[in-house]
Amino acid sequence: MAIKRGVSLYSYQQSQFFKKLDWKAQIREVREGLGTDGIEIINEQLIRHYPFPTEEFLYDWRSYMARYNMQAVTMDVYLDVHQFRDHVMTHREAAEHLKNDIRLAAKMGFQNIRTLVLVPIDVIEAVLPTAEKYNVKIGKEIHAPWPIKPGNFVQPKKGMAAGINFRAVDEIVELRERTGSRYVGLVPDFGIFQHSPSDVAIAYVKRHAKKPEAVDWILENAPAYGHDELIDAVDEKFPDHGIPINNIDRMALHKPCCAPEDLIDIIPYIVSIHGKFYNMTEIPGKPGCYEDKCIDYETPVRYLRQHGFDGYINSEFEGQRDQQDMGEEGLVDEVEQVRRHHEMLKRLLG
Amino acid sequence: MFDQFLIRKDSLENVTENGRVTGFKFAVRIADYRGCFLSLHNGYYLTVDGVEYPNELQKFQINGKEPRTYEELKTCCWEHWDYDDEGFVYVQKEGGLESGVHHIGIQQSILAQYGYMPWDEEWVLHPPVPGSGQGAGKTETVSFFDIALSEGGNE
């Protein structure tokens, strides 16, 4: 029983985009640069000719993972409901999509798939037999701003948050208890412990807002407003502010959507964890030690250790997109960021 | 995402058909962290030197096939635009672009989603018009480029 370190190759998306690191170089970095073995992938980032990879690709993948003695932990899969364009994908079609991803994950040696939080629970139930047959667990992501424990959660009606099903975690736990299946669980994302906007996000949104003072106003006043009310207030006070709703949401973040102790009850259901982060900076007075100033890692990791979580925390670096608007010189070094994240994980995991 | 890198800066060329210049083209990448089914690709909001070129005047070339309209791409439900790959946007314009630097405004429209959303049925009936704000995938705004026409490289 131990908590293990891994990396979602999502973290190297920019290096892949610019052809600096292909998937093989990414795997070597995890083995040689970080000294660990856990690999998570984004199916549509890594697999050429998805969803119909060649036999050569599949064998090459398994062989390369074997050569470096790696573990294929989790494959992240998607649900694009407009794939057919002449109708919205039905739930049965969505289930077929997920089954195909499960078969693909099995062929690549993955232990788990991560489904998105918006995948309906009946779709997940419909694919459970396939998950069991192929010995691949389904983990539904718990992604901010979705709560583990909804409490008095108010359903937003605007922006991406309108799609929130705040009972998502309960539904998974109920399905698991009702069916007794070990093949359905959860993938918490450390973004649920983010308590303030990242400095790189604030700088990005200010660079692009027509009225940057609106950003300062949101940072100061968001705690006094509900989700939808804040959007109306910004529109009213700063007409033509030019800030998309998703960025208002990012700037308005002022408390984590989950308390660290919320993790304790769901530990038995966790298949793997996303170690989300935006910007690892040196801790003042502690040379060589790093932190992400906007996400609490220390407390949740302590609970995970105390309550016996046995599985992988896979680094998921997401700070690059806020630093891609300043030319090539302004691009962040993903490899260095993930190395710093693993310095932190090693230190916290003991 | 990748907004400043959406267009490859040395890729702008005029297109010649049967000895006549019929338009221009440039290379693009998918501005996301993953590829997509081609059917989800819904075109570009595109201006060159202040002139807007709607989707009806564009074609998209990918996967070694002939340039296709977005109406044709809609039916490519099983063909994928892989994350690593470059596509070409072809634009009809009699005579093509003049020599020199051109000011290009562009926003990519990919109907990628993370599951069911309240506007799904509406998007089937009335797909978002690129540049209207909806369906922009991960390109939040129109990005602008000043790009010189590459000359002498056409077939």
Side-chain angles (χ1 to χ4, degrees):
Chain A
M1 296 274 279
I3 303 177
K4 290 158 274 192
R5 292 180 293 119
V7 178
S8 169
L9 301 185
Y10 174 98
S11 304
Y12 303 126
Q13 56 181 264
Q14 179 177 285
S15 307
Q16 184 176 333
F17 184 96
F18 290 110
K19 320 253 187 239
K20 299 269 182 0
L21 297 179
D22 61 12
W23 64 264
K24 290 184 177 178
Q26 295 170 32
I27 286 170
R28 288 196 304 274
E29 164 60 18
V30 177
R31 167 52 74 201
E32 293 164 357
L34 305 173
T36 192
D37 64 355
I39 296 288
E40 177 159 345
I41 68 163
I42 304 291
N43 57 0
E44 291 187 85
Q45 178 190 343
L46 189 139
I47 302 169
R48 278 202 72 75
H49 309 305
Y50 173 87
F52 310 113
T54 61
E55 286 299 322
E56 179 182 338
F57 168 83
L58 294 169
Y59 194 171
D60 194 11
W61 166 266
R62 290 190 300 264
S63 176
Y64 209 75
M65 291 285 280
R67 173 176 172 187
Y68 288 90
N69 200 20
M70 306 304 275
Q71 297 295 326
V73 181
T74 300
M75 180 167 107
D76 295 11
V77 307
Y78 290 80
L79 185 60
D80 281 303
V81 300
H82 291 289
Q83 182 183 352
F84 305 118
R85 294 301 303 273
D86 61 349
H87 68 284
V88 179
M89 189 182 278
T90 69
H91 285 201
R92 282 191 64 181
E93 285 174 319
E96 289 305 319
H97 180 79
L98 218 46
K99 285 180 197 172
N100 197 65
D101 279 334
I102 287 170
R103 289 190 287 267
L104 196 46
K107 283 181 189 171
M108 293 175 74
F110 281 95
Q111 300 161 20
N112 316 298
I113 60 163
R114 183 277 346 232
T115 66
L116 297 157
V117 71
L118 289 175
V119 177
I121 194 70
D122 57 288
V123 173
I124 292 179
E125 182 163 8
V127 304
L128 261 183
T130 307
E132 294 183 10
K133 178 177 169 188
Y134 287 91
N135 194 25
V136 173
K137 288 182 182 165
I138 304 166
K140 191 180 230 199
E141 186 166 13
I142 313 173
H143 192 284
W146 278 261
I148 295 174
K149 303 200 169 175
N152 300 320
F153 189 82
V154 177
Q155 177 79 54
K157 293 189 174 63
K158 299 189 178 192
M160 274 287 287
I164 289 180
N165 167 10
F166 58 83
R167 290 202 64 255
V169 172
D170 287 346
E171 286 179 351
I172 291 288
V173 172
E174 283 164 19
L175 176 63
R176 176 141 159 167
E177 284 171 2
R178 182 159 53 78
T179 60
S181 175
R182 312 278 304 161
Y183 284 85
V184 59
L186 297 162
V187 177
D189 177 318
F190 259 84
I192 60 181
F193 305 118
Q194 182 180 352
H195 49 70
S196 52
S198 173
D199 46 1
V200 295
I202 295 171
Y204 175 88
V205 176
K206 280 192 176 178
R207 284 196 296 275
H208 294 270
K210 286 186 196 141
K211 298 182 177 171
E213 64 273 21
V215 175
D216 290 319
W217 186 87
I218 298 168
L219 292 171
E220 195 172 320
N221 293 284
Y225 289 85
H227 177 270
D228 295 352
E229 290 74 33
L230 180 76
I231 292 165
D232 292 338
V234 177
D235 287 347
E236 194 182 311
K237 285 182 195 302
F238 303 94
D240 197 31
H241 52 74
I243 309 173
I245 288 183
N246 68 317
N247 280 337
I248 294 178
D249 286 350
R250 294 204 294 157
M251 296 300 99
L253 199 159
H254 57 278
K255 61 175 186 211
C257 67
C258 299
E261 55 270 27
D262 291 352
L263 271 180
I264 296 169
D265 289 345
I266 62 163
I267 284 175
Y269 310 116
I270 298 176
V271 303
S272 64
I273 295 177
H274 280 172
K276 167 73 57 59
F277 67 103
Y278 299 98
N279 188 26
M280 298 301 289
T281 52
E282 199 167 66
I283 302 171
K286 290 189 176 179
C289 296
Y290 298 92
E291 64 180 349
D292 189 317
K293 281 182 290 191
C294 71
I295 303 176
D296 179 14
Y297 267 81
E298 205 172 326
T299 326
V301 167
R302 192 170 66 237
Y303 284 125
L304 289 169
R305 291 181 65 187
Q306 283 171 356
H307 294 268
F309 171 62
D310 180 25
Y312 282 87
I313 299 177
N314 293 327
S315 300
E316 195 187 53
F317 176 51
E318 194 171 307
Q320 56 280 77
R321 66 175 73 167
D322 283 328
Q323 302 172 77
Q324 288 167 343
D325 59 329
M326 298 176 289
E328 283 186 46
E329 323 71 57
L331 295 172
V332 66
D333 183 341
E334 293 171 325
V335 168
E336 172 63 18
Q337 282 288 315
V338 177
R339 287 182 182 183
R340 291 178 180 188
H341 193 244
H342 276 249
E343 180 285 317
M344 181 193 73
L345 287 179
K346 261 192 247 181
R347 184 161 39 81
L348 296 181
L349 293 173
Chain B
M1 291 181 64
F2 296 117
D3 294 25
Q4 283 195 358
F5 308 96
L6 186 52
I7 300 180
R8 176 157 58 79
K9 298 206 170 56
D10 60 357
S11 68
L12 182 66
E13 291 181 8
N14 279 330
V15 174
T16 304
E17 289 174 288
N18 303 322
R20 287 176 54 227
V21 177
T22 55
F24 57 93
K25 68 171 182 176
F26 53 87
V28 293
R29 291 285 296 279
I30 186 163
D32 201 318
Y33 61 83
R34 61 178 175 125
C36 70
F37 287 108
L38 261 187
S39 53
L40 298 170
H41 192 11
N42 184 50
Y44 295 84
Y45 172 80
L46 176 68
T47 63
V48 181
D49 305 323
V51 178
E52 187 178 335
Y53 295 88
N55 272 4
E56 294 70 40
L57 297 178
Q58 304 171 21
K59 286 185 177 180
F60 186 68
Q61 193 273 318
I62 188 80
N63 294 339
K65 299 186 181 174
E66 288 295 303
R68 287 172 275 185
T69 65
Y70 299 109
E71 280 303 309
E72 288 171 308
L73 290 188
K74 260 177 128 169
T75 64
C76 302
C77 308
W78 300 107
E79 186 179 339
H80 204 252
W81 180 2
D82 287 342
Y83 180 61
D84 291 336
D85 290 352
E86 195 171 76
F88 276 87
V89 180
Y90 280 68
V91 185
Q92 280 178 49
K93 182 184 187 295
E94 207 60 43
L97 296 176
E98 292 179 8
S99 296
V101 174
H102 295 275
H103 189 58
I104 300 182
I106 189 166
Q107 188 172 23
Q108 191 173 57
S109 178
I110 308 256
L111 306 183
Q113 282 188 181
Y114 289 164
Y116 295 96
M117 294 302 285
W119 50 76
D120 287 340
E121 295 293 344
E122 176 62 20
W123 278 18
V124 171
L125 296 173
H126 307 290
V129 176
S132 66
Q134 282 207 307
K138 290 195 159 43
T139 55
E140 277 169 2
T141 55
V142 177
S143 294
F144 290 94
F145 296 77
D146 289 306
I147 297 181
L149 189 72
S150 301
E151 293 177 83
N154 294 323
E155 301 87 344

